[in-house]
Amino acid sequence: MVAPVRVIPTAAKRASSLLRTIQYTHPPSCPCHSNPGHHHSAPGIVPRPRDAPRRYAIPTSVEVQKEYAFEMAASAIRFGPGVTQEVGMDLKNMGAKKVCVVTDSTVDKLDAMRQVREALAAEGIHFSVYSNVTIEPKDSSIKDAIAWARPYEADAYLAVGGGSVMDTAKLMNLYAAYPDADFLDFVNAPLGKGRPVDKPLKPLIAVPTTAGTGSETTGTAIFDLVSKRAKTGVAHRNMKPTLGICDPLNTRTMPAAVKASSGLDVLCHSLESWTAIPYNERTPRPANPIMRPAYQGANPISDIFSFHALRSTVKYLPRAVKDPDDFEAQSEMLFAATMAGVGFGNAGVHLCHGMSYPISGQNPGYKHEGYEVSVPIIPHGVSVAVSAPAVFRFTGASNPERHLQAAEAFGVDISNVKRESAGEVLAEALTKFLADLGDQPKGLKELGFGPEHIDALVEGTIPQARVLMFAPGLSKELEAERDQLRRLFEDAMTH
């Protein structure tokens, strides 16, 4: 099923209304969303040997039924300039008496944290601040945060920062609720054990200070698993924030490089969820609705959020990067990030993100300009966007209409474009957008990768079954998949 796209006047207001409707009908506490099998193999699936064909989406039954339904879930969202000051009242309304505030050392000095401290103090709420979150966190920094959280025994969590902060807070909340769990217990299979989150966690409020990850809407937390030289994470609906407080005043202090990288994450979230396999092509159909995953494939509701986010990002990201005083652009990018979060949080992402995890995890020494860190870093948004032209050139044949509609969102006149050229046209539009944005690597070569790295990058991508299953056109036979990924990385070396 491919839903038609309807460009709605005053889309931001109507999208906000739709989000509120979804939150009313499917609040975070909905019992259907406990989903212990979420993101993991279906019943009857056993881990495959290294050289065996991929079977993560095929049940042992000979008769494979495709999905026939989709489901929608998202965190409650409050959006508006100045809403940060309400967080103390929110926590008091939740009955919180001992709050763990999670941030990083930079945000800890900014106005967002000043407002948070004042709001909590005004309501007489006891809190302690954990400010040692690192950008693009590694498993070691996540473990340090968990070790701090477990004995603190908070009855609520408050994350103030970017995606790294929000993801760290989710994992602190998770592992504090399971004091005897080993770290790999909940990490996505096959890198971890993929244990389901089978009980509710403490309330978590997320206050994003960057406009990119959409982590305030999702139950996903990502980090570097250093021993495997790959990014991975934990994903479950029970990890979703209870409330996302999206205050455009908090994103004004983002450096231009951070705005660009964060915005490119929004761009890829929206494009990947828009072009993911349709929900009714996913197999197997769950035997029980509790087994229906959060990442379901493109569906008529996620399409609305994803396509709105795409159009907004194309329009406002260049303005936000170039003019720090363009408050309209900054606000629209924060809204686009949240919209994309709802879209991909229900549809899923695919190849750009699957390939990005080894790209950042196997960094040969690249340090992105504009990031004030002492160690090499490929920001997440850079790692996903660098392969985007190659990815959408590859996926174009799967659904030419969607790729052409995406190209049109970039301003391309598609009236005379042939269907078979859809992927190439979108790839060219992305290449031009990245070049015009400025300060972006023109392929993996400029990150320091060469042909000698391709096999390792491929092997680092293959375990990302959780997202690769939504990649249109990607083979489920392992050696064929390896060949396709190898060609994709070769194509992504330059653009």
Side-chain angles (χ1 to χ4, degrees):
M1 174 179 178
V2 178
V5 175
R6 179 172 170 237
V7 179
I8 309 172
T10 65
K13 290 184 180 179
R14 296 200 178 190
S16 296
S17 297
L18 177 59
L19 181 58
R20 286 194 296 271
T21 301
I22 292 164
Q23 290 158 0
Y24 178 78
T25 55
H26 284 285
S29 59
C30 176
C32 291
H33 297 160
S34 56
N35 199 353
H38 162 89
H39 283 331
H40 308 302
S41 297
I45 304 301
V46 295
R48 60 184 172 85
R50 176 183 174 84
D51 295 322
R54 184 187 294 286
R55 291 193 175 93
Y56 52 80
I58 304 175
T60 54
S61 170
V62 175
E63 186 177 331
V64 179
Q65 288 187 307
K66 292 181 178 179
E67 179 62 277
Y68 72 105
F70 60 92
E71 191 170 320
M72 192 69 179
S75 302
I77 297 294
R78 183 181 303 140
F79 190 100
V83 292
T84 305
Q85 63 191 345
E86 298 180 355
V87 71
M89 291 181 281
D90 288 317
L91 287 163
K92 186 175 182 179
N93 292 341
M94 293 175 183
K97 300 185 185 307
K98 189 178 183 183
V99 176
C100 172
V101 181
V102 185
T103 190
D104 62 45
S105 58
T106 299
V107 175
D108 196 28
K109 303 179 182 69
L110 300 180
D111 190 57
M113 275 298 295
R114 179 190 62 78
Q115 288 194 72
V116 162
R117 284 185 167 94
E118 290 177 356
L120 297 183
E123 299 299 330
I125 295 174
H126 175 79
F127 66 94
S128 291
V129 177
Y130 180 84
S131 60
N132 292 333
V133 173
T134 59
I135 297 174
E136 305 293 342
K138 295 177 169 51
D139 52 347
S140 57
S141 65
I142 297 293
K143 290 175 183 176
D144 288 343
I146 293 168
W148 187 95
R150 276 175 164 162
Y152 184 67
E153 296 184 338
D155 56 18
Y157 289 79
L158 173 59
V160 186
S164 298
V165 168
M166 290 184 278
D167 287 3
T168 299
K170 291 174 187 177
L171 294 171
M172 292 167 77
N173 191 10
L174 171 65
Y175 284 91
Y178 292 86
D180 299 323
D182 180 75
F183 183 69
L184 289 178
D185 280 357
F186 293 100
V187 174
N188 294 326
L191 295 173
K193 298 176 183 177
R195 176 180 170 182
V197 182
D198 56 5
K199 61 183 175 182
L201 306 182
K202 300 295 185 184
L204 166 62
I205 296 179
V207 184
T209 59
T210 61
T213 67
S215 188
E216 66 274 11
T217 73
T218 75
T220 301
I222 301 297
F223 57 86
D224 280 312
L225 189 61
V226 176
S227 63
K228 300 295 184 181
R229 301 191 69 203
K231 273 191 184 289
T232 184
V234 181
H236 196 279
R237 281 188 172 111
N238 286 6
M239 290 170 56
K240 287 197 320 296
T242 310
L243 172 65
I245 294 182
C246 300
D247 185 343
L249 298 179
N250 291 334
T251 63
R252 293 176 302 173
T253 54
M254 279 195 297
V258 178
K259 287 177 183 174
S261 174
S262 299
L264 290 175
D265 198 20
V266 181
L267 185 74
C268 290
H269 283 158
S270 56
L271 275 171
E272 288 172 77
S273 52
W274 173 249
T275 57
I277 64 167
Y279 76 94
N280 54 7
E281 290 297 320
R282 193 186 78 252
T283 55
R285 179 188 300 179
N288 186 310
I290 201 171
M291 299 300 295
R292 184 165 284 118
Y295 281 13
Q296 301 165 89
N299 61 76
I301 297 181
S302 70
D303 287 347
I304 296 170
F305 289 89
S306 299
F307 201 74
H308 176 88
L310 172 62
R311 289 168 56 89
S312 291
T313 303
V314 171
K315 179 177 180 179
Y316 292 109
L317 180 58
R319 283 173 49 181
V321 170
K322 290 177 171 58
D323 184 0
D325 297 321
D326 189 337
F327 186 69
E328 180 190 23
Q330 318 296 344
S331 299
E332 291 291 342
M333 278 309 303
L334 179 58
F335 189 66
T338 301
M339 292 285 286
V342 176
F344 90 83
N346 287 275
V349 288
H350 54 78
L351 280 165
C352 292
H353 275 74
M355 294 167 67
S356 78
Y357 299 145
I359 289 171
S360 56
Q362 299 176 25
N363 184 0
Y366 177 84
K367 185 177 178 182
H368 195 65
E369 188 174 349
Y371 274 69
E372 297 180 6
V373 292
S374 58
V375 296
I377 184 173
I378 304 175
H380 178 62
V382 174
S383 72
V384 294
V386 73
S387 69
V391 164
F392 293 105
R393 187 179 291 114
F394 169 79
T395 60
S398 67
N399 194 325
E401 290 80 7
R402 291 221 161 192
H403 287 70
L404 288 173
Q405 286 173 311
E408 190 173 33
F410 284 90
V412 177
D413 181 1
I414 63 170
S415 56
N416 295 314
V417 177
K418 296 179 180 178
R419 285 168 47 90
E420 56 266 29
S421 301
E424 187 62 45
V425 168
L426 180 54
E428 290 175 359
L430 277 163
T431 300
K432 182 178 185 302
F433 183 83
L434 293 169
D436 291 347
L437 192 64
D439 299 322
Q440 298 304 312
K442 297 178 178 63
L444 293 173
K445 187 175 181 180
E446 292 195 4
L447 295 177
F449 290 101
E452 69 277 13
H453 295 107
I454 288 179
D455 284 344
L457 289 169
V458 169
E459 294 306 314
T461 304
I462 285 172
Q464 309 301 331
R466 183 179 65 88
V467 295
L468 294 184
M469 69 181 296
F470 296 100
L474 191 66
S475 176
K476 290 182 173 63
E477 196 283 314
L478 186 59
E479 286 308 314
E481 179 191 32
R482 275 200 178 99
D483 289 342
Q484 288 174 318
L485 290 173
R486 192 173 289 111
R487 290 195 296 271
L488 277 165
F489 278 113
E490 288 170 353
D491 191 18
M493 281 291 167
T494 58
H495 57 71

PDB file of all heavy atoms in Angstrom, residues 154-181:
ATOM      1  N   ALA A 154      16.368   6.853  41.673  1.00  0.00           N
ATOM      2  CA  ALA A 154      15.451   7.949  41.349  1.00  0.00           C
ATOM      3  C   ALA A 154      14.042   7.416  41.108  1.00  0.00           C
ATOM      4  O   ALA A 154      13.861   6.268  40.686  1.00  0.00           O
ATOM      5  CB  ALA A 154      15.945   8.681  40.099  1.00  0.00           C
ATOM      6  N   ASP A 155      13.054   8.263  41.360  1.00  0.00           N
ATOM      7  CA  ASP A 155      11.690   7.870  41.001  1.00  0.00           C
ATOM      8  C   ASP A 155      11.221   8.571  39.729  1.00  0.00           C
ATOM      9  O   ASP A 155      10.084   8.397  39.295  1.00  0.00           O
ATOM     10  CB  ASP A 155      10.708   8.097  42.152  1.00  0.00           C
ATOM     11  CG  ASP A 155      10.689   9.521  42.664  1.00  0.00           C
ATOM     12  OD1 ASP A 155      11.163  10.429  41.938  1.00  0.00           O
ATOM     13  OD2 ASP A 155      10.216   9.731  43.792  1.00  0.00           O
ATOM     14  N   ALA A 156      12.113   9.357  39.107  1.00  0.00           N
ATOM     15  CA  ALA A 156      11.841   9.955  37.799  1.00  0.00           C
ATOM     16  C   ALA A 156      13.166  10.423  37.211  1.00  0.00           C
ATOM     17  O   ALA A 156      14.130  10.712  37.939  1.00  0.00           O
ATOM     18  CB  ALA A 156      10.858  11.113  37.898  1.00  0.00           C
ATOM     19  N   TYR A 157      13.206  10.532  35.886  1.00  0.00           N
ATOM     20  CA  TYR A 157      14.407  10.976  35.177  1.00  0.00           C
ATOM     21  C   TYR A 157      14.060  12.186  34.321  1.00  0.00           C
ATOM     22  O   TYR A 157      12.951  12.290  33.772  1.00  0.00           O
ATOM     23  CB  TYR A 157      14.970   9.858  34.293  1.00  0.00           C
ATOM     24  CG  TYR A 157      15.608   8.731  35.079  1.00  0.00           C
ATOM     25  CD1 TYR A 157      14.821   7.760  35.674  1.00  0.00           C
ATOM     26  CD2 TYR A 157      16.989   8.665  35.238  1.00  0.00           C
ATOM     27  CE1 TYR A 157      15.388   6.729  36.407  1.00  0.00           C
ATOM     28  CE2 TYR A 157      17.567   7.634  35.965  1.00  0.00           C
ATOM     29  CZ  TYR A 157      16.770   6.674  36.551  1.00  0.00           C
ATOM     30  OH  TYR A 157      17.345   5.662  37.289  1.00  0.00           O
ATOM     31  N   LEU A 158      15.029  13.077  34.192  1.00  0.00           N
ATOM     32  CA  LEU A 158      14.866  14.276  33.365  1.00  0.00           C
ATOM     33  C   LEU A 158      16.126  14.436  32.524  1.00  0.00           C
ATOM     34  O   LEU A 158      17.217  14.649  33.069  1.00  0.00           O
ATOM     35  CB  LEU A 158      14.638  15.507  34.241  1.00  0.00           C
ATOM     36  CG  LEU A 158      14.616  16.869  33.549  1.00  0.00           C
ATOM     37  CD1 LEU A 158      13.514  16.929  32.498  1.00  0.00           C
ATOM     38  CD2 LEU A 158      14.427  17.990  34.580  1.00  0.00           C
ATOM     39  N   ALA A 159      15.999  14.295  31.213  1.00  0.00           N
ATOM     40  CA  ALA A 159      17.136  14.427  30.295  1.00  0.00           C
ATOM     41  C   ALA A 159      17.099  15.797  29.646  1.00  0.00           C
ATOM     42  O   ALA A 159      16.076  16.196  29.073  1.00  0.00           O
ATOM     43  CB  ALA A 159      17.080  13.341  29.233  1.00  0.00           C
ATOM     44  N   VAL A 160      18.218  16.521  29.722  1.00  0.00           N
ATOM     45  CA  VAL A 160      18.308  17.858  29.142  1.00  0.00           C
ATOM     46  C   VAL A 160      19.545  17.891  28.253  1.00  0.00           C
ATOM     47  O   VAL A 160      20.675  17.930  28.741  1.00  0.00           O
ATOM     48  CB  VAL A 160      18.405  18.943  30.234  1.00  0.00           C
ATOM     49  CG1 VAL A 160      18.351  20.333  29.596  1.00  0.00           C
ATOM     50  CG2 VAL A 160      17.306  18.780  31.270  1.00  0.00           C
ATOM     51  N   GLY A 161      19.343  17.837  26.947  1.00  0.00           N
ATOM     52  CA  GLY A 161      20.484  17.820  26.038  1.00  0.00           C
ATOM     53  C   GLY A 161      20.110  17.258  24.687  1.00  0.00           C
ATOM     54  O   GLY A 161      18.933  17.164  24.322  1.00  0.00           O
ATOM     55  N   GLY A 162      21.129  16.834  23.944  1.00  0.00           N
ATOM     56  CA  GLY A 162      20.910  16.260  22.628  1.00  0.00           C
ATOM     57  C   GLY A 162      20.622  14.779  22.691  1.00  0.00           C
ATOM     58  O   GLY A 162      20.347  14.212  23.756  1.00  0.00           O
ATOM     59  N   GLY A 163      20.728  14.114  21.548  1.00  0.00           N
ATOM     60  CA  GLY A 163      20.412  12.706  21.473  1.00  0.00           C
ATOM     61  C   GLY A 163      21.260  11.850  22.387  1.00  0.00           C
ATOM     62  O   GLY A 163      20.776  10.877  22.975  1.00  0.00           O
ATOM     63  N   SER A 164      22.543  12.210  22.536  1.00  0.00           N
ATOM     64  CA  SER A 164      23.423  11.421  23.402  1.00  0.00           C
ATOM     65  C   SER A 164      22.936  11.459  24.845  1.00  0.00           C
ATOM     66  O   SER A 164      22.968  10.445  25.553  1.00  0.00           O
ATOM     67  CB  SER A 164      24.852  11.957  23.317  1.00  0.00           C
ATOM     68  OG  SER A 164      25.367  11.838  22.007  1.00  0.00           O
ATOM     69  N   VAL A 165      22.486  12.625  25.296  1.00  0.00           N
ATOM     70  CA  VAL A 165      21.979  12.765  26.661  1.00  0.00           C
ATOM     71  C   VAL A 165      20.683  11.987  26.830  1.00  0.00           C
ATOM     72  O   VAL A 165      20.500  11.239  27.805  1.00  0.00           O
ATOM     73  CB  VAL A 165      21.769  14.255  27.008  1.00  0.00           C
ATOM     74  CG1 VAL A 165      20.973  14.410  28.300  1.00  0.00           C
ATOM     75  CG2 VAL A 165      23.110  14.960  27.130  1.00  0.00           C
ATOM     76  N   MET A 166      19.759  12.155  25.904  1.00  0.00           N
ATOM     77  CA  MET A 166      18.466  11.466  26.025  1.00  0.00           C
ATOM     78  C   MET A 166      18.638   9.952  25.973  1.00  0.00           C
ATOM     79  O   MET A 166      18.005   9.208  26.735  1.00  0.00           O
ATOM     80  CB  MET A 166      17.503  11.961  24.937  1.00  0.00           C
ATOM     81  CG  MET A 166      17.044  13.400  25.156  1.00  0.00           C
ATOM     82  SD  MET A 166      15.817  13.971  23.949  1.00  0.00           S
ATOM     83  CE  MET A 166      16.885  14.428  22.575  1.00  0.00           C
ATOM     84  N   ASP A 167      19.513   9.477  25.081  1.00  0.00           N
ATOM     85  CA  ASP A 167      19.745   8.033  24.997  1.00  0.00           C
ATOM     86  C   ASP A 167      20.400   7.499  26.264  1.00  0.00           C
ATOM     87  O   ASP A 167      20.053   6.416  26.753  1.00  0.00           O
ATOM     88  CB  ASP A 167      20.623   7.716  23.785  1.00  0.00           C
ATOM     89  CG  ASP A 167      19.879   7.870  22.463  1.00  0.00           C
ATOM     90  OD1 ASP A 167      18.707   8.283  22.494  1.00  0.00           O
ATOM     91  OD2 ASP A 167      20.466   7.585  21.410  1.00  0.00           O
ATOM     92  N   THR A 168      21.347   8.250  26.810  1.00  0.00           N
ATOM     93  CA  THR A 168      21.995   7.829  28.056  1.00  0.00           C
ATOM     94  C   THR A 168      20.977   7.753  29.192  1.00  0.00           C
ATOM     95  O   THR A 168      20.969   6.802  29.984  1.00  0.00           O
ATOM     96  CB  THR A 168      23.139   8.783  28.420  1.00  0.00           C
ATOM     97  OG1 THR A 168      24.122   8.772  27.368  1.00  0.00           O
ATOM     98  CG2 THR A 168      23.809   8.376  29.722  1.00  0.00           C
ATOM     99  N   ALA A 169      20.094   8.741  29.269  1.00  0.00           N
ATOM    100  CA  ALA A 169      19.077   8.749  30.318  1.00  0.00           C
ATOM    101  C   ALA A 169      18.143   7.548  30.188  1.00  0.00           C
ATOM    102  O   ALA A 169      17.743   6.941  31.191  1.00  0.00           O
ATOM    103  CB  ALA A 169      18.275  10.045  30.268  1.00  0.00           C
ATOM    104  N   LYS A 170      17.772   7.196  28.946  1.00  0.00           N
ATOM    105  CA  LYS A 170      16.916   6.023  28.745  1.00  0.00           C
ATOM    106  C   LYS A 170      17.579   4.769  29.292  1.00  0.00           C
ATOM    107  O   LYS A 170      16.936   3.926  29.937  1.00  0.00           O
ATOM    108  CB  LYS A 170      16.620   5.841  27.257  1.00  0.00           C
ATOM    109  CG  LYS A 170      15.733   6.895  26.636  1.00  0.00           C
ATOM    110  CD  LYS A 170      15.643   6.692  25.132  1.00  0.00           C
ATOM    111  CE  LYS A 170      14.910   7.829  24.448  1.00  0.00           C
ATOM    112  NZ  LYS A 170      14.888   7.672  22.978  1.00  0.00           N
ATOM    113  N   LEU A 171      18.884   4.631  29.044  1.00  0.00           N
ATOM    114  CA  LEU A 171      19.594   3.434  29.487  1.00  0.00           C
ATOM    115  C   LEU A 171      19.827   3.440  30.996  1.00  0.00           C
ATOM    116  O   LEU A 171      19.800   2.382  31.640  1.00  0.00           O
ATOM    117  CB  LEU A 171      20.908   3.306  28.725  1.00  0.00           C
ATOM    118  CG  LEU A 171      20.725   3.046  27.215  1.00  0.00           C
ATOM    119  CD1 LEU A 171      22.050   3.150  26.481  1.00  0.00           C
ATOM    120  CD2 LEU A 171      20.093   1.685  26.968  1.00  0.00           C
ATOM    121  N   MET A 172      20.034   4.611  31.580  1.00  0.00           N
ATOM    122  CA  MET A 172      20.127   4.700  33.041  1.00  0.00           C
ATOM    123  C   MET A 172      18.812   4.241  33.672  1.00  0.00           C
ATOM    124  O   MET A 172      18.793   3.469  34.638  1.00  0.00           O
ATOM    125  CB  MET A 172      20.448   6.139  33.456  1.00  0.00           C
ATOM    126  CG  MET A 172      21.840   6.597  33.052  1.00  0.00           C
ATOM    127  SD  MET A 172      22.071   8.397  33.215  1.00  0.00           S
ATOM    128  CE  MET A 172      22.281   8.570  34.986  1.00  0.00           C
ATOM    129  N   ASN A 173      17.714   4.701  33.105  1.00  0.00           N
ATOM    130  CA  ASN A 173      16.385   4.325  33.600  1.00  0.00           C
ATOM    131  C   ASN A 173      16.162   2.822  33.464  1.00  0.00           C
ATOM    132  O   ASN A 173      15.683   2.154  34.386  1.00  0.00           O
ATOM    133  CB  ASN A 173      15.330   5.110  32.815  1.00  0.00           C
ATOM    134  CG  ASN A 173      13.934   5.004  33.415  1.00  0.00           C
ATOM    135  OD1 ASN A 173      13.729   4.498  34.511  1.00  0.00           O
ATOM    136  ND2 ASN A 173      12.949   5.492  32.674  1.00  0.00           N
ATOM    137  N   LEU A 174      16.543   2.269  32.297  1.00  0.00           N
ATOM    138  CA  LEU A 174      16.353   0.846  32.045  1.00  0.00           C
ATOM    139  C   LEU A 174      17.141  -0.025  33.019  1.00  0.00           C
ATOM    140  O   LEU A 174      16.584  -0.906  33.689  1.00  0.00           O
ATOM    141  CB  LEU A 174      16.763   0.526  30.606  1.00  0.00           C
ATOM    142  CG  LEU A 174      16.835  -0.957  30.239  1.00  0.00           C
ATOM    143  CD1 LEU A 174      15.460  -1.606  30.309  1.00  0.00           C
ATOM    144  CD2 LEU A 174      17.441  -1.133  28.849  1.00  0.00           C
ATOM    145  N   TYR A 175      18.438   0.221  33.088  1.00  0.00           N
ATOM    146  CA  TYR A 175      19.282  -0.673  33.878  1.00  0.00           C
ATOM    147  C   TYR A 175      19.114  -0.460  35.383  1.00  0.00           C
ATOM    148  O   TYR A 175      19.373  -1.374  36.168  1.00  0.00           O
ATOM    149  CB  TYR A 175      20.741  -0.535  33.444  1.00  0.00           C
ATOM    150  CG  TYR A 175      21.024  -1.225  32.128  1.00  0.00           C
ATOM    151  CD1 TYR A 175      20.905  -0.529  30.925  1.00  0.00           C
ATOM    152  CD2 TYR A 175      21.374  -2.565  32.087  1.00  0.00           C
ATOM    153  CE1 TYR A 175      21.139  -1.153  29.713  1.00  0.00           C
ATOM    154  CE2 TYR A 175      21.615  -3.201  30.873  1.00  0.00           C
ATOM    155  CZ  TYR A 175      21.498  -2.494  29.688  1.00  0.00           C
ATOM    156  OH  TYR A 175      21.726  -3.123  28.486  1.00  0.00           O
ATOM    157  N   ALA A 176      18.661   0.728  35.787  1.00  0.00           N
ATOM    158  CA  ALA A 176      18.337   0.912  37.206  1.00  0.00           C
ATOM    159  C   ALA A 176      17.124   0.070  37.597  1.00  0.00           C
ATOM    160  O   ALA A 176      17.003  -0.367  38.742  1.00  0.00           O
ATOM    161  CB  ALA A 176      18.071   2.388  37.502  1.00  0.00           C
ATOM    162  N   ALA A 177      16.241  -0.156  36.630  1.00  0.00           N
ATOM    163  CA  ALA A 177      15.057  -0.979  36.893  1.00  0.00           C
ATOM    164  C   ALA A 177      15.389  -2.471  36.916  1.00  0.00           C
ATOM    165  O   ALA A 177      14.602  -3.277  37.406  1.00  0.00           O
ATOM    166  CB  ALA A 177      13.985  -0.713  35.832  1.00  0.00           C
ATOM    167  N   TYR A 178      16.545  -2.829  36.382  1.00  0.00           N
ATOM    168  CA  TYR A 178      17.018  -4.220  36.370  1.00  0.00           C
ATOM    169  C   TYR A 178      18.414  -4.246  37.005  1.00  0.00           C
ATOM    170  O   TYR A 178      19.425  -4.367  36.297  1.00  0.00           O
ATOM    171  CB  TYR A 178      17.079  -4.754  34.942  1.00  0.00           C
ATOM    172  CG  TYR A 178      15.745  -4.939  34.267  1.00  0.00           C
ATOM    173  CD1 TYR A 178      15.134  -3.874  33.600  1.00  0.00           C
ATOM    174  CD2 TYR A 178      15.093  -6.169  34.280  1.00  0.00           C
ATOM    175  CE1 TYR A 178      13.908  -4.045  32.961  1.00  0.00           C
ATOM    176  CE2 TYR A 178      13.873  -6.348  33.645  1.00  0.00           C
ATOM    177  CZ  TYR A 178      13.282  -5.284  32.984  1.00  0.00           C
ATOM    178  OH  TYR A 178      12.070  -5.442  32.354  1.00  0.00           O
ATOM    179  N   PRO A 179      18.498  -4.128  38.313  1.00  0.00           N
ATOM    180  CA  PRO A 179      19.808  -3.967  38.965  1.00  0.00           C
ATOM    181  C   PRO A 179      20.741  -5.152  38.783  1.00  0.00           C
ATOM    182  O   PRO A 179      21.964  -4.991  38.912  1.00  0.00           O
ATOM    183  CB  PRO A 179      19.444  -3.771  40.439  1.00  0.00           C
ATOM    184  CG  PRO A 179      18.058  -4.308  40.591  1.00  0.00           C
ATOM    185  CD  PRO A 179      17.391  -4.084  39.277  1.00  0.00           C
ATOM    186  N   ASP A 180      20.231  -6.327  38.470  1.00  0.00           N
ATOM    187  CA  ASP A 180      21.082  -7.504  38.318  1.00  0.00           C
ATOM    188  C   ASP A 180      21.398  -7.835  36.864  1.00  0.00           C
ATOM    189  O   ASP A 180      22.082  -8.822  36.581  1.00  0.00           O
ATOM    190  CB  ASP A 180      20.404  -8.723  38.975  1.00  0.00           C
ATOM    191  CG  ASP A 180      20.195  -8.515  40.469  1.00  0.00           C
ATOM    192  OD1 ASP A 180      21.073  -7.901  41.098  1.00  0.00           O
ATOM    193  OD2 ASP A 180      19.147  -8.959  40.978  1.00  0.00           O
ATOM    194  N   ALA A 181      20.909  -7.021  35.931  1.00  0.00           N
ATOM    195  CA  ALA A 181      21.096  -7.323  34.514  1.00  0.00           C
ATOM    196  C   ALA A 181      22.528  -7.060  34.076  1.00  0.00           C
ATOM    197  O   ALA A 181      23.159  -6.079  34.495  1.00  0.00           O
ATOM    198  CB  ALA A 181      20.135  -6.485  33.666  1.00  0.00           C
TER     199      ALA A 181
END
